[in-house]
């Protein structure tokens, strides 16, 4: 008797499996937050070289929309006239140089982003893209690392570790003192996301009967998409990047309750000759599904 036949006897998608999917689907919402939050935290608002501003100009009174207008002067965002004349502009043929006194940013849409805090514009604009690339490389490293570790030590423990990494380093990123520390912390968050996504999917499908496995396999994707929708609303309400990063990361500490509620994979336990532990989980699942079974020779084989 193989494990799929055991599942058919205890219920391929009963109360036990449905509750399991609640546990593995809720974190997907927060994974989606971290995947897409850089669209908001790394946004580049309209900006002007501070040395090109009129002496009386302030960020609240400047018309930043001129930068994006057809007849605007987008070069004002990265250069200033050498003669420092208020009337001079790079487009008038005057000699120019890069900004020396920093930039002023529009606060119409975002109160602050990592771009406005660390001036990731003009010559430093590539750093913003580099940060996103490093985050994506974290996803790759996490897929390779946590996939191997899950096969060796079990799905459940790796999911718990990944959730802890996600919450800890996600919150730490909200207090990053500079761009390089922030990027390193985001890299660690990326590794944890792969650890949760892969192993939650595997844990769910390993406990699901053959007939329901295809549908169950894509349930987590629905919650991932739902997370994208919620993030748009959260980012609309929270315009400061540090507060937004904290808002999407801090709730991750609530997942500590998974230490008690997340079950082990009976398939993995059996594959690693831990049959007694596997049977304990199987009997618990059968009882919860209302199909209690007894341990007999046929099922043991």
């Amino acid at each position: 008797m193989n494990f799929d036949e055991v599942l058919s006897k205890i219920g391929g998608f009963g109360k036990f499996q449905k509750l399991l999917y609640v546990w593995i689907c809720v974190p997907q919402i927060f994974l989606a937050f971290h995947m897409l939050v850089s669209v908001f935290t790394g946004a580049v608002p309209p900006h002007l070289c501070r040395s090109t501003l009129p002496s009386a100009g302030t960020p609240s009174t400047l018309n930043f929309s001129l930068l994006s207008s057809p007849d605007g002067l987008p070069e004002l965002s990265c250069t200033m006239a050498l003669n420092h004349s208020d009337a001079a502009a790079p487009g008038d043929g005057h000699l120019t140089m890069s900004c020396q006194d920093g930039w002023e940013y529009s606060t119409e849409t975002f109160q602050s982003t990592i771009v406005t805090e660390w001036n990731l514009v003009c010559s430093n604009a590539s750093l913003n893209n580099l940060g996103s690339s490093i985050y994506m490389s974290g996803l790759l490293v996490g897929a390779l690392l946590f996939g191997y570790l899950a096969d060796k030590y079990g799905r459940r423990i790796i999911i718990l570790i990944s959730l802890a990494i996600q919450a800890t380093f996600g919150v730490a990123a909200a207090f990053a003192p500079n761009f390089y520390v922030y990027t390193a912390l985001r890299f660690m968050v990326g590794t944890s996301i792969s650890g949760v996504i892969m192993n939650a999917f595997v844990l769910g499908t390993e406990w699901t009967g053959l007939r329901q496995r295809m549908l169950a396999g894509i349930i987590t994707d629905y919650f991932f998409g739902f997370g994208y929708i919620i993030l748009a609303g959260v980012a609309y309400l929270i315009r400061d990047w540090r507060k937004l990063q904290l808002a999407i990361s801090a709730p991750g500490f609530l997942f500590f309750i998974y230490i008690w509620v997340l079950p082990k994979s009976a398939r993995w336990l059996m594959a690693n000759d831990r049959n007694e532990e596997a049977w304990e989980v199987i009997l618990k699942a059968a009882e919860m599904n209302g199909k209690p079974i007894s341990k007999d020779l046929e099922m043991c084989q």
Side-chain angles (χ1 to χ4, degrees):
M1 177 177 287
N2 59 39
F3 191 73
D4 285 331
E5 292 174 319
V6 174
L7 282 177
S8 67
K9 287 184 175 294
I10 68 173
F13 202 69
K15 182 179 178 180
F16 176 85
Q17 286 86 355
K18 292 174 182 176
L19 186 59
L20 169 62
Y21 263 88
V22 171
W23 301 134
I24 66 177
C25 284
V26 171
Q28 304 296 324
I29 297 175
F30 294 90
L31 299 185
F33 288 174
H34 288 287
M35 284 289 290
L36 205 64
V37 73
S38 61
V39 172
F40 304 101
T41 59
V44 184
H47 52 282
L48 283 170
C49 186
R50 188 173 288 128
S51 299
T52 66
L53 304 180
S55 57
T58 65
S60 60
T61 60
L62 291 172
N63 187 3
F64 285 94
S65 63
L66 292 176
L67 292 176
S68 57
S69 65
D71 300 324
L73 296 173
E75 62 269 23
L76 291 177
S77 64
C78 291
T79 58
M80 65 179 183
L82 285 177
N83 61 7
H84 297 282
S85 171
D86 288 345
D92 297 334
H94 291 79
L95 294 177
T96 61
M97 63 181 296
S98 60
C99 293
Q100 299 296 311
D101 301 319
W103 293 263
E104 293 291 351
Y105 299 90
S106 169
T107 57
E108 182 179 357
T109 303
F110 301 98
Q111 291 180 5
S112 72
T113 68
I114 63 171
V115 173
T116 64
E117 180 159 342
W118 294 313
N119 291 322
L120 305 181
V121 294
C122 299
S123 61
N124 292 327
S126 60
L127 291 177
N128 197 11
N129 295 329
L130 178 63
S132 298
S133 298
I134 291 176
Y135 168 77
M136 296 303 293
S137 68
L139 294 176
L140 174 61
V141 171
L144 297 174
L145 177 63
F146 289 122
Y148 167 76
L149 293 178
D151 288 337
K152 187 173 183 179
Y153 299 107
R155 324 291 182 208
R156 177 180 179 274
I157 185 64
I158 297 303
I159 291 175
L160 294 176
I161 292 174
S162 297
L163 288 172
I165 292 174
Q166 175 190 313
T168 302
F169 286 90
V171 169
F175 300 96
N178 56 61
F179 172 75
Y180 301 101
V181 172
Y182 170 79
T183 301
L185 295 171
R186 284 277 293 166
F187 173 86
M188 293 302 300
V189 172
T191 62
S192 70
I193 287 178
S194 288
V196 177
I197 289 177
M198 291 192 313
N199 293 297
F201 174 84
V202 173
L203 181 63
T205 53
E206 283 184 341
W207 271 111
T208 304
L210 190 60
R211 293 180 59 184
Q212 301 88 359
R213 195 167 297 160
M214 180 178 295
L215 176 60
I218 63 174
I219 288 178
T220 56
D221 292 336
Y222 293 138
F223 282 80
F224 211 85
F226 187 52
Y228 283 158
I229 297 172
I230 296 177
L231 176 61
V234 174
Y236 178 81
L237 296 173
I238 305 176
R239 307 294 181 95
D240 180 273
W241 81 266
R242 290 187 183 273
K243 293 178 181 178
L244 178 60
Q245 179 68 32
L246 188 62
I248 67 172
S249 302
F253 287 111
L254 296 175
F255 293 123
F256 80 93
I257 65 171
Y258 278 33
I259 296 174
W260 297 282
V261 301
L262 193 67
K264 297 179 180 179
S265 168
R267 287 183 189 266
W268 182 87
L269 291 170
M270 287 181 166
N272 287 270
D273 297 322
R274 294 165 62 175
N275 295 330
E276 289 300 323
E277 291 181 62
W279 272 110
E280 289 180 9
V281 183
I282 290 173
L283 294 175
K284 178 181 177 181
E287 182 179 359
M288 187 175 295
N289 288 343
K291 297 184 177 182
I293 59 174
S294 60
K295 181 179 176 181
D296 57 38
L297 180 61
E298 180 185 5
M299 296 195 72
C300 287
Q301 293 173 338

